[in-house]
Amino acid sequence: RDTTAHSISFILIELAKNPIEQTKLRKSLSKLSPENWTMSPHLLRVIKEGMRLHPVGNSLRKTGRDIHTKNDEYLIPSGSICVCSFLLLFRNPDVFSPDPNSFVPSRWEDPTREMTDSFHPFTLGKKNCLGQSLARAEMFGIVARICSEFELSVEEDGYGGSLLDFEAGWMAFESSKGLKEAME
């Protein structure tokens, strides 16, 4: 399973569904040389928001000691296997308001402490994602290149109204240059 391709695909779909954000990103990138696209604050916000809405995995850990929750209400015994669903965590309305199910890159302009503490798509600690540096480089490079060269639009999104109700959909890429020129 190619997790980076998953992230890139959903980021591009979100940009296609949100032409205003796509225009903001293209404008931000146009002010920089391609070598410096990774310095675009708007590109960083777009990628973070895409990864927040469409996380690749979950966190699965085995506790190394007894863990007491706040107010000692619960005890998680040593050796327990704990699963954290990133989809639920990253769409928590108490943390990512307003509208946690919408693509809003500007929420990362001045994130709350709760947002930064909750958002770790590559997980933390000794068992974090070994490929996160490569994944970030690929996401930044590919998303920036495609958005600088193509106008993305959703032809048919296949969205039926719930997170689990998707059908086949299509996304169109339209180049501001000729297609042959854009692909070179």
Side-chain angles (χ1 to χ4, degrees):
R1 171 167 101 174
D2 191 345
T3 53
T4 306
H6 168 96
S7 296
I8 291 168
S9 297
F10 275 106
I11 291 166
L12 294 174
I13 289 169
E14 288 297 341
L15 286 167
K17 289 167 41 179
N18 295 278
I20 292 171
E21 291 299 336
Q22 187 180 160
T23 300
K24 286 180 188 176
L25 176 58
R26 190 171 295 107
K27 193 174 192 177
S28 168
L29 295 172
S30 71
K31 295 176 183 174
L32 302 168
S33 66
E35 300 82 40
N36 294 320
W37 280 343
T38 58
M39 306 298 239
S40 167
H42 196 74
L43 178 60
L44 174 62
R45 291 190 295 267
V46 162
I47 288 174
K48 284 177 91 167
E49 186 67 354
M51 291 179 71
R52 183 191 70 79
L53 275 180
H54 305 284
V56 173
N58 295 303
S59 179
L60 178 71
R61 297 286 188 263
K62 187 174 182 179
T63 59
R65 59 180 173 78
D66 287 350
I67 298 173
H68 295 272
T69 61
K70 288 183 181 178
N71 303 325
D72 280 330
E73 192 173 339
Y74 300 101
L75 167 70
I76 302 170
S78 176
S80 296
I81 296 176
C82 298
V83 178
C84 177
S85 168
F86 286 165
L87 184 63
L88 296 177
L89 179 64
F90 296 168
R91 291 183 183 220
N92 181 345
D94 294 334
V95 177
F96 295 101
S97 290
D99 205 2
N101 294 316
S102 292
F103 184 73
V104 184
S106 63
R107 79 174 77 238
W108 295 104
E109 287 175 5
D110 188 22
T112 64
R113 177 161 182 199
E114 290 81 13
M115 288 171 63
T116 56
D117 287 350
S118 298
F119 185 72
H120 296 286
F122 296 102
T123 72
L124 297 169
K126 291 188 271 184
K127 298 194 180 198
N128 69 359
C129 176
L130 294 174
Q132 68 180 293
S133 295
L134 178 59
R136 285 182 193 276
E138 288 179 346
M139 282 188 283
F140 274 76
I142 293 170
V143 170
R145 178 68 190 259
I146 288 174
C147 286
S148 70
E149 305 261 344
F150 295 95
E151 185 82 31
L152 307 175
S153 63
V154 175
E155 295 295 318
E156 181 183 329
D157 71 358
Y159 183 64
S162 93
L163 290 173
L164 302 175
D165 188 14
F166 281 95
E167 297 173 14
W170 302 96
M171 185 169 65
F173 292 73
E174 188 176 302
S175 175
S176 54
K177 306 173 182 179
L179 184 58
K180 184 178 177 186
E181 223 183 306
M183 298 305 280
E184 292 175 347

